[in-house]
Amino acid sequence: MKVLVVGGGGREHALCWKLAQSPRVKEVLCAPGNAGTALVARNVGIAATDVDKLVHLAQHEQVGLVVIGPEEPLCQGLADRLRAAKIAVFGPSAAAARLEGSKLFAKEFLTRHRIPTAGFRRFDRSGVAKAYLEGCTQWPQVIKADGLAAGKGVFVVKSAREACTVVDQLMEERRLGDSGAQICIEEFLVGEEVSVLALVDGESLCVLEPVMDHKQVGDGDSGPNTGGMGVYSPVALFNRRLSWQVEQNVLIPTLHGLRREELDYRGVLFVGLMLTESGPRVLEYNCRFGDPETQAIMRRWKGDLLPYLLATAQKKLSELEAPEWDPRTCVGVVAASEGYPGAYRKGDVISGLDDAARAPEVVVFHAGTKLSPSRSVLTDGGRVLCVTALGDTVDDARSRAYSGFDKIRWDGKFGRRDIGVRHATARTF
Ligand code: AMP
Ligand code: GLY
């Protein structure tokens, strides 16, 4: 069968790479893809948000499954449009994707279904929000724009003054457009963060291996938040007791909530959790695979991915055994362009990719890259590559990943040097 992967980041490269290994997949198409997906798939120059053209492409190419990577097309209803055209699709409906597309919808869903999360208040007028903040005695507080903001809509604020400035920027100046028309102000939670992903077909779920992301741009978790600067999996601190708690208190109630509210969820549910002293609490839902979490998950996934994605699309997940995992550790280090997560450089020539790929157990996934007319690989985004490696221990995987990372060069390349180090220092819960 032909499979179409929608998107063009590192997550999509990892999905294309894994799907291309399936004996049942004749061809992988990727729209729009990047220089890395071009190595394992046929790139088609259609934007991930061009819903009409994507539906037409899927019909014209007679693809057997569409896998939707990013959140925007999901929130725009790409999955609904494909289903209406009788095409199997891995990705939730627009109504269900509101779990990611609206922070307030997600918080109210969590409350309705008694799923543990941070306490919150909803505001649609800046004056009321500021009056509330002036009266707060507990700091920090967390302010979240309701709508999609490409990871730029969450602010941890330490004083009423700082908080009121953020409220004005979001609600008056509309720095994030309509996404900031309503906001959520929530309690600041303390603990370790972990990402848990589960395939959900509306009736059952299949929990994937947990992954630890590193959100902040600098070593030792310093500097502003990013989409994720590196990952490791498995996560030692996420022990069996925690995994049981998350399944019982978060995942199963979420599945029941989706069913009760008749939300058509057939895709991957990504739960960002804070492991607090009073147990795991939900920070956010995403309705898609994480990036760079997916790169680590695909490296550790043994066997064929296609049957799982197809069964999710067809509501047949319960017919499959749990997937098998490579017991080794995967570490993934993101190589980014100077300036990221702010304004960054683009168009620099990347060298050393082949050398890095020859390093033992290393696979380099592309994120923001493109091919020049002379076929050299150029930087084309803030997060450019994710260098992944497997190893028997975190230290083995780390040193392999960094030896691959260090072989790659371009002007302005940078990355964190401490991915996986926290593993050793994380306290237990
Ligand atoms: P989100 O997009 O909601 O995951 O938020 C982005 C990041 O902000 C999270 O990964 C956390 O590091 C931080 N964050 C969000 N909500 C909270 C909270 N209630 N308490 C502490 N940190 C938070
Ligand atoms: N790495 C976090 C995300 O994909 O949202």
Side-chain angles (χ1 to χ4, degrees):
M1 106 170 31
K2 283 192 199 176
V3 179
L4 167 62
V5 174
V6 175
R11 159 185 57 208
E12 287 79 16
H13 185 191
L15 290 166
C16 288
W17 173 84
K18 191 68 188 161
L19 286 166
Q21 294 167 27
S22 167
R24 289 171 60 189
V25 172
K26 195 171 71 180
E27 189 179 24
V28 183
L29 280 73
C30 189
N34 58 36
T37 63
L39 302 171
V40 286
R42 167 156 60 98
N43 283 353
V44 184
I46 299 177
T49 47
D50 197 336
V51 172
D52 290 333
K53 283 201 183 137
L54 291 169
V55 175
H56 181 260
L57 174 72
Q59 285 173 317
H60 179 72
E61 294 279 349
Q62 300 188 319
V63 303
L65 177 69
V66 180
V67 182
I68 305 173
E71 60 277 18
E72 292 93 343
L74 289 164
C75 291
Q76 286 171 13
L78 177 58
D80 309 75
R81 285 281 306 279
L82 289 163
R83 282 195 187 105
K86 305 261 179 291
I87 296 163
V89 45
F90 180 91
S93 64
R98 289 175 71 206
L99 282 184
E100 175 164 3
S102 164
K103 299 262 185 212
L104 285 161
F105 176 81
K107 295 298 290 190
E108 284 161 5
F109 177 96
L110 288 159
T111 313
R112 271 196 298 282
H113 301 290
R114 297 198 173 78
I115 300 166
T117 184
F120 78 103
R121 296 272 299 262
R122 163 199 275 269
F123 295 96
D124 52 17
R125 302 224 315 265
S126 63
V128 185
K130 288 191 281 186
Y132 168 77
L133 289 161
E134 298 285 0
C136 280
T137 51
Q138 296 269 2
W139 295 96
Q141 294 277 327
V142 185
I143 303 180
K144 297 185 175 180
D146 177 50
L148 288 181
K152 298 192 172 70
V154 176
F155 305 84
V156 176
V157 284
K158 296 192 179 67
S159 67
R161 208 168 132 191
E162 191 187 346
C164 291
T165 307
V166 170
V167 169
D168 281 334
Q169 288 170 349
L170 291 175
M171 302 185 88
E172 299 296 332
E173 296 167 29
R174 294 293 175 95
R175 289 210 185 165
L176 297 175
D178 285 347
S179 288
Q182 296 189 72
I183 61 168
C184 159
I185 301 181
E186 68 178 45
E187 174 196 3
F188 178 77
L189 299 178
V190 178
E192 289 279 347
E193 273 186 71
V194 62
S195 308
V196 175
L197 288 84
L199 303 180
V200 172
D201 72 357
E203 271 151 35
S204 47
L205 51 85
C206 166
V207 187
L208 309 182
E209 284 279 279
V211 185
M212 184 66 87
D213 192 6
H214 296 63
K215 291 237 169 155
Q216 282 166 295
V217 74
D219 284 6
D221 290 341
S222 58
N225 259 346
T226 69
M229 293 299 289
V231 277
Y232 66 83
S233 172
V235 182
L237 97 136
F238 197 76
N239 55 30
R240 285 174 67 171
R241 186 173 56 86
L242 271 170
S243 133
W244 187 85
Q245 278 180 1
V246 169
E247 207 165 317
Q248 295 301 312
N249 301 340
V250 177
L251 295 174
I252 293 173
T254 302
L255 179 63
H256 286 164
L258 289 166
R259 287 180 60 159
R260 225 172 297 155
E261 300 192 18
E262 295 179 19
L263 295 168
D264 183 3
Y265 206 109
R266 283 179 264 171
V268 63
L269 179 74
F270 167 149
V271 189
L273 292 165
M274 186 72 91
L275 307 178
T276 72
E277 281 183 345
S278 59
R281 297 217 247 165
V282 175
L283 286 176
E284 64 164 348
Y285 286 121
N286 293 317
C287 58
R288 50 164 178 87
F289 277 112
D291 191 335
E293 284 88 342
T294 309
Q295 289 84 319
I297 290 174
M298 293 304 137
R299 287 298 311 275
R300 294 195 54 227
W301 188 300
K302 280 173 117 182
D304 195 353
L305 175 68
L306 181 79
Y308 289 86
L309 302 190
L310 207 52
T312 305
Q314 296 168 337
K315 288 183 175 278
K316 289 184 178 164
L317 213 40
S318 61
E319 293 176 14
L320 299 182
E321 300 286 332
E324 258 190 79
W325 298 98
D326 191 318
R328 290 176 296 169
T329 296
C330 178
V331 169
V333 182
V334 168
S337 294
E338 189 178 326
Y340 177 77
Y344 50 78
R345 296 168 55 140
K346 269 189 192 182
D348 289 298
V349 176
I350 306 174
S351 63
L353 282 166
D354 291 337
D355 257 3
R358 276 193 292 270
E361 297 294 349
V362 168
V363 176
V364 181
F365 292 114
H366 293 223
T369 67
K370 70 172 185 192
L371 283 176
S372 72
S374 62
R375 317 275 312 158
S376 35
V377 180
L378 305 179
T379 63
D380 194 37
R383 290 187 294 170
V384 177
L385 303 165
C386 178
V387 183
T388 64
L390 292 169
D392 288 333
T393 63
V394 185
D395 287 341
D396 288 345
R398 261 175 62 74
S399 65
R400 284 176 174 165
Y402 279 106
S403 80
F405 180 92
D406 290 337
K407 292 192 168 76
I408 296 169
R409 290 197 161 59
W410 74 83
D411 283 347
K413 170 193 150 200
F414 79 96
R416 278 180 64 157
R417 299 301 307 186
D418 64 345
I419 304 303
V421 168
R422 203 161 67 205
H423 173 89
T425 54
R427 63 201 180 99
T428 44
F429 287 82

